[in-house]
mmCIF file of all heavy atoms in Angstrom:
data_model
loop_
_atom_site.group_PDB
_atom_site.id
_atom_site.type_symbol
_atom_site.label_atom_id
_atom_site.label_comp_id
_atom_site.label_asym_id
_atom_site.label_seq_id
_atom_site.Cartn_x
_atom_site.Cartn_y
_atom_site.Cartn_z
ATOM 1 N N PRO A 1 -49.179 -96.503 -175.046
ATOM 2 C CA PRO A 1 -50.153 -97.524 -175.473
ATOM 3 C C PRO A 1 -51.445 -96.859 -175.917
ATOM 4 O O PRO A 1 -52.009 -96.039 -175.183
ATOM 5 C CB PRO A 1 -50.354 -98.364 -174.215
ATOM 6 C CG PRO A 1 -49.149 -98.096 -173.354
ATOM 7 C CD PRO A 1 -48.745 -96.690 -173.645
ATOM 8 N N ARG A 2 -51.933 -97.219 -177.109
ATOM 9 C CA ARG A 2 -53.031 -96.453 -177.684
ATOM 10 C C ARG A 2 -54.332 -96.602 -176.890
ATOM 11 O O ARG A 2 -55.065 -95.621 -176.742
ATOM 12 C CB ARG A 2 -53.225 -96.840 -179.156
ATOM 13 C CG ARG A 2 -53.488 -98.250 -179.409
ATOM 14 C CD ARG A 2 -53.350 -98.746 -180.827
ATOM 15 N NE ARG A 2 -53.340 -97.768 -181.892
ATOM 16 C CZ ARG A 2 -53.218 -98.096 -183.188
ATOM 17 N NH1 ARG A 2 -53.164 -99.355 -183.568
ATOM 18 N NH2 ARG A 2 -53.196 -97.168 -184.087
ATOM 19 N N ARG A 3 -54.645 -97.799 -176.367
ATOM 20 C CA ARG A 3 -55.883 -97.938 -175.594
ATOM 21 C C ARG A 3 -55.825 -97.092 -174.325
ATOM 22 O O ARG A 3 -56.786 -96.372 -174.007
ATOM 23 C CB ARG A 3 -56.140 -99.406 -175.247
ATOM 24 C CG ARG A 3 -57.463 -99.611 -174.493
ATOM 25 C CD ARG A 3 -57.800 -101.077 -174.308
ATOM 26 N NE ARG A 3 -56.834 -101.744 -173.439
ATOM 27 C CZ ARG A 3 -56.909 -103.018 -173.077
ATOM 28 N NH1 ARG A 3 -57.926 -103.764 -173.509
ATOM 29 N NH2 ARG A 3 -55.981 -103.554 -172.296
ATOM 30 N N ALA A 4 -54.709 -97.171 -173.600
ATOM 31 C CA ALA A 4 -54.572 -96.383 -172.375
ATOM 32 C C ALA A 4 -54.633 -94.884 -172.678
ATOM 33 O O ALA A 4 -55.200 -94.108 -171.904
ATOM 34 C CB ALA A 4 -53.254 -96.729 -171.679
ATOM 35 N N PHE A 5 -54.052 -94.481 -173.805
ATOM 36 C CA PHE A 5 -54.055 -93.081 -174.208
ATOM 37 C C PHE A 5 -55.479 -92.584 -174.443
ATOM 38 O O PHE A 5 -55.876 -91.525 -173.937
ATOM 39 C CB PHE A 5 -53.205 -92.921 -175.476
ATOM 40 C CG PHE A 5 -53.056 -91.503 -175.954
ATOM 41 C CD1 PHE A 5 -52.268 -90.605 -175.273
ATOM 42 C CD2 PHE A 5 -53.697 -91.078 -177.107
ATOM 43 C CE1 PHE A 5 -52.115 -89.296 -175.722
ATOM 44 C CE2 PHE A 5 -53.559 -89.779 -177.561
ATOM 45 C CZ PHE A 5 -52.760 -88.885 -176.870
ATOM 46 N N LEU A 6 -56.273 -93.357 -175.194
ATOM 47 C CA LEU A 6 -57.648 -92.955 -175.492
ATOM 48 C C LEU A 6 -58.512 -92.943 -174.228
ATOM 49 O O LEU A 6 -59.305 -92.015 -174.013
ATOM 50 C CB LEU A 6 -58.250 -93.895 -176.536
ATOM 51 C CG LEU A 6 -57.658 -93.793 -177.951
ATOM 52 C CD1 LEU A 6 -58.179 -94.932 -178.840
ATOM 53 C CD2 LEU A 6 -57.995 -92.450 -178.576
ATOM 54 N N VAL A 7 -58.373 -93.961 -173.400
ATOM 55 C CA VAL A 7 -59.155 -94.018 -172.162
ATOM 56 C C VAL A 7 -58.803 -92.849 -171.250
ATOM 57 O O VAL A 7 -59.681 -92.196 -170.668
ATOM 58 C CB VAL A 7 -58.934 -95.363 -171.442
ATOM 59 C CG1 VAL A 7 -59.542 -95.327 -170.036
ATOM 60 C CG2 VAL A 7 -59.551 -96.503 -172.252
ATOM 61 N N ALA A 8 -57.511 -92.557 -171.119
ATOM 62 C CA ALA A 8 -57.078 -91.458 -170.260
ATOM 63 C C ALA A 8 -57.652 -90.120 -170.732
ATOM 64 O O ALA A 8 -58.096 -89.303 -169.916
ATOM 65 C CB ALA A 8 -55.554 -91.399 -170.218
ATOM 66 N N LEU A 9 -57.668 -89.891 -172.038
ATOM 67 C CA LEU A 9 -58.198 -88.635 -172.559
ATOM 68 C C LEU A 9 -59.705 -88.534 -172.353
ATOM 69 O O LEU A 9 -60.235 -87.443 -172.082
ATOM 70 C CB LEU A 9 -57.848 -88.483 -174.039
ATOM 71 C CG LEU A 9 -56.365 -88.220 -174.321
ATOM 72 C CD1 LEU A 9 -56.103 -88.167 -175.828
ATOM 73 C CD2 LEU A 9 -55.908 -86.928 -173.663
ATOM 74 N N ASP A 10 -60.422 -89.655 -172.467
ATOM 75 C CA ASP A 10 -61.853 -89.643 -172.156
ATOM 76 C C ASP A 10 -62.084 -89.277 -170.684
ATOM 77 O O ASP A 10 -62.999 -88.523 -170.354
ATOM 78 C CB ASP A 10 -62.475 -91.007 -172.457
ATOM 79 C CG ASP A 10 -63.185 -91.049 -173.809
ATOM 80 O OD1 ASP A 10 -63.572 -89.968 -174.311
ATOM 81 O OD2 ASP A 10 -63.375 -92.157 -174.352
ATOM 82 N N LEU A 11 -61.256 -89.820 -169.804
ATOM 83 C CA LEU A 11 -61.397 -89.513 -168.378
ATOM 84 C C LEU A 11 -61.068 -88.041 -168.097
ATOM 85 O O LEU A 11 -61.721 -87.403 -167.265
ATOM 86 C CB LEU A 11 -60.492 -90.433 -167.556
ATOM 87 C CG LEU A 11 -60.852 -91.930 -167.590
ATOM 88 C CD1 LEU A 11 -59.831 -92.742 -166.796
ATOM 89 C CD2 LEU A 11 -62.262 -92.173 -167.065
ATOM 90 N N VAL A 12 -60.059 -87.518 -168.782
ATOM 91 C CA VAL A 12 -59.739 -86.096 -168.633
ATOM 92 C C VAL A 12 -60.920 -85.243 -169.085
ATOM 93 O O VAL A 12 -61.308 -84.271 -168.410
ATOM 94 C CB VAL A 12 -58.471 -85.737 -169.433
ATOM 95 C CG1 VAL A 12 -58.293 -84.216 -169.498
ATOM 96 C CG2 VAL A 12 -57.245 -86.382 -168.805
ATOM 97 N N ARG A 13 -61.504 -85.607 -170.236
ATOM 98 C CA ARG A 13 -62.648 -84.844 -170.750
ATOM 99 C C ARG A 13 -63.812 -84.893 -169.761
ATOM 100 O O ARG A 13 -64.486 -83.887 -169.534
ATOM 101 C CB ARG A 13 -63.072 -85.375 -172.125
ATOM 102 C CG ARG A 13 -62.007 -85.159 -173.190
ATOM 103 C CD ARG A 13 -62.551 -85.285 -174.595
ATOM 104 N NE ARG A 13 -62.932 -86.654 -174.950
ATOM 105 C CZ ARG A 13 -63.415 -87.011 -176.137
ATOM 106 N NH1 ARG A 13 -63.571 -86.100 -177.077
ATOM 107 N NH2 ARG A 13 -63.738 -88.280 -176.407
ATOM 108 N N ALA A 14 -64.065 -86.053 -169.191
ATOM 109 C CA ALA A 14 -65.132 -86.176 -168.197
ATOM 110 C C ALA A 14 -64.850 -85.298 -166.986
ATOM 111 O O ALA A 14 -65.746 -84.613 -166.472
ATOM 112 C CB ALA A 14 -65.290 -87.640 -167.770
ATOM 113 N N GLY A 15 -63.607 -85.293 -166.507
ATOM 114 C CA GLY A 15 -63.251 -84.490 -165.350
ATOM 115 C C GLY A 15 -63.398 -82.997 -165.590
ATOM 116 O O GLY A 15 -63.877 -82.254 -164.726
ATOM 117 N N VAL A 16 -62.990 -82.538 -166.794
ATOM 118 C CA VAL A 16 -63.100 -81.117 -167.116
ATOM 119 C C VAL A 16 -64.562 -80.686 -167.168
ATOM 120 O O VAL A 16 -64.944 -79.659 -166.602
ATOM 121 C CB VAL A 16 -62.393 -80.811 -168.455
ATOM 122 C CG1 VAL A 16 -62.688 -79.374 -168.890
ATOM 123 C CG2 VAL A 16 -60.892 -81.020 -168.328
ATOM 124 N N VAL A 17 -65.386 -81.470 -167.848
ATOM 125 C CA VAL A 17 -66.811 -81.120 -167.963
ATOM 126 C C VAL A 17 -67.481 -81.115 -166.599
ATOM 127 O O VAL A 17 -68.358 -80.287 -166.324
ATOM 128 C CB VAL A 17 -67.523 -82.083 -168.929
ATOM 129 C CG1 VAL A 17 -69.034 -81.821 -168.930
ATOM 130 C CG2 VAL A 17 -66.979 -81.930 -170.342
ATOM 131 N N ALA A 18 -67.058 -82.024 -165.721
ATOM 132 C CA ALA A 18 -67.643 -82.078 -164.373
ATOM 133 C C ALA A 18 -67.415 -80.781 -163.595
ATOM 134 O O ALA A 18 -68.168 -80.474 -162.662
ATOM 135 C CB ALA A 18 -67.062 -83.263 -163.605
ATOM 136 N N CYS A 19 -66.397 -80.003 -163.990
ATOM 137 C CA CYS A 19 -66.112 -78.732 -163.315
ATOM 138 C C CYS A 19 -66.986 -77.585 -163.824
ATOM 139 O O CYS A 19 -67.158 -76.576 -163.111
ATOM 140 C CB CYS A 19 -64.637 -78.359 -163.499
ATOM 141 S SG CYS A 19 -63.465 -79.501 -162.729
ATOM 142 N N LEU A 20 -67.527 -77.701 -165.027
ATOM 143 C CA LEU A 20 -68.227 -76.576 -165.647
ATOM 144 C C LEU A 20 -69.446 -76.082 -164.860
ATOM 145 O O LEU A 20 -69.670 -74.862 -164.800
ATOM 146 C CB LEU A 20 -68.633 -76.936 -167.078
ATOM 147 C CG LEU A 20 -67.518 -76.819 -168.127
ATOM 148 C CD1 LEU A 20 -67.925 -77.460 -169.449
ATOM 149 C CD2 LEU A 20 -67.150 -75.355 -168.359
ATOM 150 N N PRO A 21 -70.262 -76.943 -164.256
ATOM 151 C CA PRO A 21 -71.423 -76.408 -163.525
ATOM 152 C C PRO A 21 -71.056 -75.521 -162.337
ATOM 153 O O PRO A 21 -71.918 -74.796 -161.833
ATOM 154 C CB PRO A 21 -72.152 -77.675 -163.049
ATOM 155 C CG PRO A 21 -71.674 -78.766 -163.937
ATOM 156 C CD PRO A 21 -70.264 -78.423 -164.266
ATOM 157 N N PHE A 22 -69.797 -75.576 -161.917
ATOM 158 C CA PHE A 22 -69.412 -74.868 -160.700
ATOM 159 C C PHE A 22 -68.659 -73.559 -160.976
ATOM 160 O O PHE A 22 -68.222 -72.904 -160.023
ATOM 161 C CB PHE A 22 -68.546 -75.784 -159.825
ATOM 162 C CG PHE A 22 -69.209 -77.091 -159.494
ATOM 163 C CD1 PHE A 22 -68.854 -78.250 -160.164
ATOM 164 C CD2 PHE A 22 -70.224 -77.155 -158.549
ATOM 165 C CE1 PHE A 22 -69.481 -79.455 -159.882
ATOM 166 C CE2 PHE A 22 -70.854 -78.356 -158.256
ATOM 167 C CZ PHE A 22 -70.485 -79.505 -158.921
ATOM 168 N N VAL A 23 -68.504 -73.168 -162.236
ATOM 169 C CA VAL A 23 -67.768 -71.949 -162.537
ATOM 170 C C VAL A 23 -68.595 -70.728 -162.148
ATOM 171 O O VAL A 23 -69.827 -70.749 -162.208
ATOM 172 C CB VAL A 23 -67.370 -71.865 -164.029
ATOM 173 C CG1 VAL A 23 -66.563 -73.087 -164.445
ATOM 174 C CG2 VAL A 23 -68.582 -71.713 -164.920
ATOM 175 N N THR A 24 -67.888 -69.687 -161.752
ATOM 176 C CA THR A 24 -68.548 -68.437 -161.360
ATOM 177 C C THR A 24 -68.027 -67.238 -162.133
ATOM 178 O O THR A 24 -68.582 -66.154 -162.021
ATOM 179 C CB THR A 24 -68.346 -68.183 -159.852
ATOM 180 O OG1 THR A 24 -66.942 -68.177 -159.556
ATOM 181 C CG2 THR A 24 -69.036 -69.278 -159.027
ATOM 182 N N GLU A 25 -66.965 -67.435 -162.924
ATOM 183 C CA GLU A 25 -66.361 -66.354 -163.683
ATOM 184 C C GLU A 25 -66.186 -66.778 -165.140
ATOM 185 O O GLU A 25 -65.965 -67.965 -165.424
ATOM 186 C CB GLU A 25 -64.990 -65.963 -163.101
ATOM 187 C CG GLU A 25 -65.033 -65.541 -161.637
ATOM 188 C CD GLU A 25 -65.708 -64.204 -161.433
ATOM 189 O OE1 GLU A 25 -65.808 -63.429 -162.401
ATOM 190 O OE2 GLU A 25 -66.139 -63.920 -160.286
ATOM 191 N N ILE A 26 -66.242 -65.816 -166.042
ATOM 192 C CA ILE A 26 -66.140 -66.120 -167.476
ATOM 193 C C ILE A 26 -64.769 -66.701 -167.809
ATOM 194 O O ILE A 26 -64.658 -67.634 -168.605
ATOM 195 C CB ILE A 26 -66.431 -64.861 -168.307
ATOM 196 C CG1 ILE A 26 -67.902 -64.450 -168.143
ATOM 197 C CG2 ILE A 26 -66.106 -65.084 -169.774
ATOM 198 C CD1 ILE A 26 -68.256 -63.123 -168.778
ATOM 199 N N TRP A 27 -63.701 -66.193 -167.193
ATOM 200 C CA TRP A 27 -62.365 -66.694 -167.499
ATOM 201 C C TRP A 27 -62.230 -68.174 -167.171
ATOM 202 O O TRP A 27 -61.456 -68.897 -167.823
ATOM 203 C CB TRP A 27 -61.303 -65.878 -166.763
ATOM 204 C CG TRP A 27 -61.280 -66.027 -165.259
ATOM 205 C CD1 TRP A 27 -61.900 -65.229 -164.351
ATOM 206 C CD2 TRP A 27 -60.610 -67.039 -164.508
ATOM 207 N NE1 TRP A 27 -61.678 -65.684 -163.074
ATOM 208 C CE2 TRP A 27 -60.869 -66.783 -163.140
ATOM 209 C CE3 TRP A 27 -59.819 -68.139 -164.839
ATOM 210 C CZ2 TRP A 27 -60.375 -67.590 -162.116
ATOM 211 C CZ3 TRP A 27 -59.321 -68.944 -163.823
ATOM 212 C CH2 TRP A 27 -59.602 -68.660 -162.480
ATOM 213 N N GLN A 28 -62.974 -68.628 -166.170
ATOM 214 C CA GLN A 28 -62.939 -70.040 -165.831
ATOM 215 C C GLN A 28 -63.504 -70.898 -166.976
ATOM 216 O O GLN A 28 -63.014 -72.001 -167.234
ATOM 217 C CB GLN A 28 -63.715 -70.283 -164.543
ATOM 218 C CG GLN A 28 -63.111 -69.591 -163.324
ATOM 219 C CD GLN A 28 -64.035 -69.609 -162.111
ATOM 220 O OE1 GLN A 28 -65.212 -69.966 -162.198
ATOM 221 N NE2 GLN A 28 -63.505 -69.219 -160.955
ATOM 222 N N VAL A 29 -64.529 -70.380 -167.634
ATOM 223 C CA VAL A 29 -65.074 -71.068 -168.810
ATOM 224 C C VAL A 29 -63.997 -71.224 -169.872
ATOM 225 O O VAL A 29 -63.812 -72.307 -170.454
ATOM 226 C CB VAL A 29 -66.286 -70.305 -169.384
ATOM 227 C CG1 VAL A 29 -66.778 -70.976 -170.673
ATOM 228 C CG2 VAL A 29 -67.409 -70.249 -168.368
ATOM 229 N N TYR A 30 -63.263 -70.160 -170.136
ATOM 230 C CA TYR A 30 -62.234 -70.197 -171.170
ATOM 231 C C TYR A 30 -61.144 -71.217 -170.838
ATOM 232 O O TYR A 30 -60.697 -71.981 -171.707
ATOM 233 C CB TYR A 30 -61.616 -68.812 -171.352
ATOM 234 C CG TYR A 30 -62.570 -67.739 -171.814
ATOM 235 C CD1 TYR A 30 -62.337 -66.398 -171.539
ATOM 236 C CD2 TYR A 30 -63.716 -68.069 -172.520
ATOM 237 C CE1 TYR A 30 -63.204 -65.415 -171.965
ATOM 238 C CE2 TYR A 30 -64.597 -67.080 -172.958
ATOM 239 C CZ TYR A 30 -64.336 -65.751 -172.663
ATOM 240 O OH TYR A 30 -65.198 -64.771 -173.091
ATOM 241 N N VAL A 31 -60.714 -71.242 -169.584
ATOM 242 C CA VAL A 31 -59.680 -72.190 -169.172
ATOM 243 C C VAL A 31 -60.160 -73.631 -169.344
ATOM 244 O O VAL A 31 -59.443 -74.492 -169.875
ATOM 245 C CB VAL A 31 -59.260 -71.927 -167.714
ATOM 246 C CG1 VAL A 31 -58.349 -73.048 -167.204
ATOM 247 C CG2 VAL A 31 -58.549 -70.588 -167.586
ATOM 248 N N LEU A 32 -61.379 -73.896 -168.898
ATOM 249 C CA LEU A 32 -61.900 -75.258 -168.985
ATOM 250 C C LEU A 32 -62.151 -75.678 -170.427
ATOM 251 O O LEU A 32 -61.904 -76.841 -170.786
ATOM 252 C CB LEU A 32 -63.188 -75.370 -168.162
ATOM 253 C CG LEU A 32 -62.996 -75.294 -166.641
ATOM 254 C CD1 LEU A 32 -64.346 -75.232 -165.932
ATOM 255 C CD2 LEU A 32 -62.195 -76.495 -166.132
ATOM 256 N N ILE A 33 -62.617 -74.771 -171.278
ATOM 257 C CA ILE A 33 -62.828 -75.095 -172.689
ATOM 258 C C ILE A 33 -61.501 -75.422 -173.362
ATOM 259 O O ILE A 33 -61.397 -76.356 -174.163
ATOM 260 C CB ILE A 33 -63.536 -73.934 -173.413
ATOM 261 C CG1 ILE A 33 -64.983 -73.836 -172.950
ATOM 262 C CG2 ILE A 33 -63.487 -74.126 -174.939
ATOM 263 C CD1 ILE A 33 -65.827 -75.064 -173.243
ATOM 264 N N PHE A 34 -60.453 -74.666 -173.028
ATOM 265 C CA PHE A 34 -59.133 -74.963 -173.592
ATOM 266 C C PHE A 34 -58.669 -76.348 -173.146
ATOM 267 O O PHE A 34 -58.158 -77.133 -173.957
ATOM 268 C CB PHE A 34 -58.114 -73.901 -173.174
ATOM 269 C CG PHE A 34 -56.769 -74.083 -173.825
ATOM 270 C CD1 PHE A 34 -56.503 -73.540 -175.078
ATOM 271 C CD2 PHE A 34 -55.767 -74.803 -173.197
ATOM 272 C CE1 PHE A 34 -55.273 -73.715 -175.689
ATOM 273 C CE2 PHE A 34 -54.531 -74.991 -173.799
ATOM 274 C CZ PHE A 34 -54.282 -74.434 -175.047
ATOM 275 N N ALA A 35 -58.841 -76.672 -171.864
ATOM 276 C CA ALA A 35 -58.429 -77.986 -171.360
ATOM 277 C C ALA A 35 -59.225 -79.102 -172.025
ATOM 278 O O ALA A 35 -58.673 -80.137 -172.403
ATOM 279 C CB ALA A 35 -58.612 -78.039 -169.843
ATOM 280 N N LEU A 36 -60.536 -78.880 -172.174
ATOM 281 C CA LEU A 36 -61.391 -79.878 -172.810
ATOM 282 C C LEU A 36 -60.964 -80.119 -174.253
ATOM 283 O O LEU A 36 -60.839 -81.272 -174.695
ATOM 284 C CB LEU A 36 -62.849 -79.421 -172.759
ATOM 285 C CG LEU A 36 -63.891 -80.310 -173.451
ATOM 286 C CD1 LEU A 36 -63.945 -81.678 -172.797
ATOM 287 C CD2 LEU A 36 -65.273 -79.651 -173.416
ATOM 288 N N GLN A 37 -60.712 -79.040 -174.981
ATOM 289 C CA GLN A 37 -60.353 -79.200 -176.382
ATOM 290 C C GLN A 37 -58.939 -79.725 -176.555
ATOM 291 O O GLN A 37 -58.642 -80.394 -177.543
ATOM 292 C CB GLN A 37 -60.514 -77.877 -177.131
ATOM 293 C CG GLN A 37 -60.689 -78.059 -178.636
ATOM 294 C CD GLN A 37 -61.875 -78.945 -178.978
ATOM 295 O OE1 GLN A 37 -62.871 -78.989 -178.241
ATOM 296 N NE2 GLN A 37 -61.777 -79.661 -180.097
ATOM 297 N N ALA A 38 -58.064 -79.450 -175.592
ATOM 298 C CA ALA A 38 -56.726 -80.032 -175.637
ATOM 299 C C ALA A 38 -56.815 -81.557 -175.593
ATOM 300 O O ALA A 38 -56.126 -82.265 -176.334
ATOM 301 C CB ALA A 38 -55.882 -79.506 -174.480
ATOM 302 N N ALA A 39 -57.689 -82.075 -174.725
ATOM 303 C CA ALA A 39 -57.888 -83.523 -174.659
ATOM 304 C C ALA A 39 -58.521 -84.053 -175.945
ATOM 305 O O ALA A 39 -58.126 -85.104 -176.458
ATOM 306 C CB ALA A 39 -58.757 -83.874 -173.451
ATOM 307 N N SER A 40 -59.493 -83.327 -176.490
ATOM 308 C CA SER A 40 -60.138 -83.754 -177.735
ATOM 309 C C SER A 40 -59.176 -83.700 -178.915
ATOM 310 O O SER A 40 -59.243 -84.533 -179.820
ATOM 311 C CB SER A 40 -61.364 -82.882 -178.022
ATOM 312 O OG SER A 40 -62.380 -83.096 -177.054
ATOM 313 N N ALA A 41 -58.255 -82.719 -178.912
ATOM 314 C CA ALA A 41 -57.270 -82.611 -179.982
ATOM 315 C C ALA A 41 -56.326 -83.807 -179.991
ATOM 316 O O ALA A 41 -55.753 -84.146 -181.030
ATOM 317 C CB ALA A 41 -56.465 -81.318 -179.838
ATOM 318 N N GLY A 42 -56.162 -84.441 -178.846
ATOM 319 C CA GLY A 42 -55.388 -85.671 -178.793
ATOM 320 C C GLY A 42 -56.221 -86.895 -179.112
ATOM 321 O O GLY A 42 -55.776 -87.815 -179.815
ATOM 322 N N PHE A 43 -57.459 -86.908 -178.621
ATOM 323 C CA PHE A 43 -58.308 -88.082 -178.771
ATOM 324 C C PHE A 43 -58.727 -88.314 -180.222
ATOM 325 O O PHE A 43 -58.610 -89.441 -180.738
ATOM 326 C CB PHE A 43 -59.553 -87.930 -177.890
ATOM 327 C CG PHE A 43 -60.472 -89.118 -177.929
ATOM 328 C CD1 PHE A 43 -60.368 -90.122 -176.988
ATOM 329 C CD2 PHE A 43 -61.450 -89.241 -178.899
ATOM 330 C CE1 PHE A 43 -61.210 -91.226 -177.016
ATOM 331 C CE2 PHE A 43 -62.293 -90.339 -178.936
ATOM 332 C CZ PHE A 43 -62.171 -91.336 -177.990
ATOM 333 N N THR A 44 -59.211 -87.270 -180.895
ATOM 334 C CA THR A 44 -59.820 -87.458 -182.213
ATOM 335 C C THR A 44 -58.859 -88.042 -183.243
ATOM 336 O O THR A 44 -59.188 -89.048 -183.894
ATOM 337 C CB THR A 44 -60.424 -86.135 -182.709
ATOM 338 O OG1 THR A 44 -61.409 -85.683 -181.768
ATOM 339 C CG2 THR A 44 -61.086 -86.316 -184.076
ATOM 340 N N PRO A 45 -57.658 -87.466 -183.459
ATOM 341 C CA PRO A 45 -56.759 -88.083 -184.441
ATOM 342 C C PRO A 45 -56.325 -89.491 -184.061
ATOM 343 O O PRO A 45 -56.198 -90.357 -184.934
ATOM 344 C CB PRO A 45 -55.557 -87.121 -184.469
ATOM 345 C CG PRO A 45 -56.069 -85.826 -183.935
ATOM 346 C CD PRO A 45 -57.103 -86.219 -182.924
ATOM 347 N N ALA A 46 -56.091 -89.739 -182.766
ATOM 348 C CA ALA A 46 -55.695 -91.080 -182.330
ATOM 349 C C ALA A 46 -56.805 -92.087 -182.595
ATOM 350 O O ALA A 46 -56.554 -93.216 -183.034
ATOM 351 C CB ALA A 46 -55.321 -91.065 -180.849
ATOM 352 N N PHE A 47 -58.041 -91.708 -182.326
ATOM 353 C CA PHE A 47 -59.191 -92.569 -182.606
ATOM 354 C C PHE A 47 -59.294 -92.841 -184.103
ATOM 355 O O PHE A 47 -59.510 -93.982 -184.531
ATOM 356 C CB PHE A 47 -60.465 -91.904 -182.087
ATOM 357 C CG PHE A 47 -61.716 -92.703 -182.308
ATOM 358 C CD1 PHE A 47 -62.161 -93.604 -181.349
ATOM 359 C CD2 PHE A 47 -62.470 -92.561 -183.467
ATOM 360 C CE1 PHE A 47 -63.319 -94.344 -181.542
ATOM 361 C CE2 PHE A 47 -63.622 -93.292 -183.667
ATOM 362 C CZ PHE A 47 -64.049 -94.183 -182.706
#
């Protein structure tokens, strides 16, 4: 369902960003950026 899909991806993006202030290593930044952009790669075309 497209509404549930878009809402879920927004929530994923919010959750990933909420983790960024707590990173202590550079590799953690890379992992979180990949996760964030994975959600955006789904959200933007669907929107």
Side-chain angles (χ1 to χ4, degrees):
R2 58 195 343 180
R3 183 173 66 178
F5 183 72
L6 291 171
V7 170
L9 289 177
D10 261 337
L11 294 177
V12 169
R13 295 197 291 181
V16 172
V17 174
C19 296
L20 280 168
F22 304 102
V23 304
T24 56
E25 302 289 340
I26 293 173
W27 68 266
Q28 296 169 350
V29 176
Y30 298 155
V31 171
L32 290 173
I33 289 298
F34 185 86
L36 177 63
Q37 202 57 30
S40 293
F43 182 94
T44 301
F47 180 91

